Amino acid sequence: IISSKSIVQRLPLIVVLIWGIRLTINWEKKKKNLNHEDWRYRMLKEKTNMFYPIINFLGIHMFPTLVVYLCVLPLVYLLQYNGEFSLLTIIFSILGLGAVILQGTADYQMHKFRKSNIGGFIRTGLWKYSRHPNYLGEIIIWWAMGLLSVCALKEHVYLLLGALINTLMFVFVSIPMAEKNQAKRKP
């Protein structure tokens, strides 16, 4: 028999496992070869010149790793302290799974669009309603996992810091950087 404490621990971990599988599949489909370098790295290298090693370490590697750590931390606490099961456990798990489905659908639509060689901006499917459905899904999943953990533990509100920083990173760094890059390349 699976206990309610076991469910509160397993549901979010299953959601994050599915998220990780989706992320890996998307990476596999996008990669051109092992020498492919993301446009952001090249842009930052050109922009920062001799300071690139510092920007590379702090901005590209250290900060995102810290954000991921802070986003996953609520789940670590949930495993450590055996949170209480409630309806919110199911609601936030479904919300997190919905976010993964949103991202997976956006991935599929983007891969299909790129294969078509139409060019320009994708303006169909989810992309008709959001310029960044993948970022939206990423924001939603970590808020869902953070809120699930905080509700199950009945305290530790500070564990939402990861979801907050993640959101701020997308809103003030990732999205503006992507928009600026797209504005240069596409009409």
Side-chain angles (χ1 to χ4, degrees):
I1 296 177
I2 298 175
S3 70
S4 63
K5 288 196 185 287
S6 176
I7 291 171
V8 95
Q9 292 175 333
R10 288 186 179 147
L11 274 178
L13 293 179
I14 290 168
V15 170
V16 172
L17 175 65
I18 294 168
W19 168 83
I21 291 168
R22 185 227 42 102
L23 193 63
T24 304
I25 291 169
N26 187 48
W27 171 80
E28 176 62 32
K29 284 186 171 198
K30 276 174 52 174
K31 76 175 173 116
K32 295 168 180 62
N33 59 49
L34 292 178
N35 295 323
H36 173 72
E37 183 178 43
D38 188 277
W39 65 267
R40 288 168 276 237
Y41 302 163
R42 288 191 307 271
M43 184 267 302
L44 286 169
K45 187 182 278 185
E46 290 169 9
K47 234 177 158 177
T48 59
N49 296 316
M50 67 181 215
F51 295 106
Y52 180 70
I54 296 167
I55 298 300
N56 182 32
F57 177 70
L58 295 176
I60 295 174
H61 297 288
M62 183 64 90
F63 181 70
T65 301
L66 180 62
V67 172
V68 170
Y69 172 78
L70 290 173
C71 285
V72 173
L73 193 60
L75 300 175
V76 172
Y77 268 70
L78 193 62
L79 290 171
Q80 179 76 28
Y81 297 111
N82 297 321
E84 293 295 318
F85 177 80
S86 72
L87 180 60
L88 292 174
T89 305
I90 294 170
I91 290 171
F92 287 127
S93 293
I94 291 170
L95 182 62
L97 188 58
V100 174
I101 292 168
L102 174 79
Q103 289 180 303
T105 303
D107 294 344
Y108 172 77
Q109 292 172 350
M110 180 55 80
H111 292 300
K112 188 174 170 184
F113 176 78
R114 285 183 176 154
K115 269 188 178 176
S116 73
N117 286 324
I118 293 171
F121 289 106
I122 182 172
R123 298 180 194 274
T124 57
L126 293 173
W127 301 87
K128 179 179 179 178
Y129 303 102
S130 172
R131 292 270 295 122
H132 304 282
N134 288 80
Y135 291 165
L136 177 61
E138 194 70 15
I139 290 167
I140 292 171
I141 189 170
W142 296 118
W143 276 105
M145 295 301 97
L147 288 167
L148 183 153
S149 299
V150 168
C151 290
L153 294 169
K154 306 286 188 238
E155 52 189 56
H156 304 292
V157 178
Y158 60 89
L159 291 173
L160 294 175
L161 185 63
L164 176 63
I165 293 172
N166 184 55
T167 302
L168 294 173
M169 179 182 70
F170 279 111
V171 170
F172 293 109
V173 179
S174 299
I175 292 172
M177 191 183 290
E179 291 293 319
K180 190 175 180 180
N181 180 57
Q182 292 295 326
K184 286 181 190 174
R185 297 178 28 218
K186 298 176 183 178

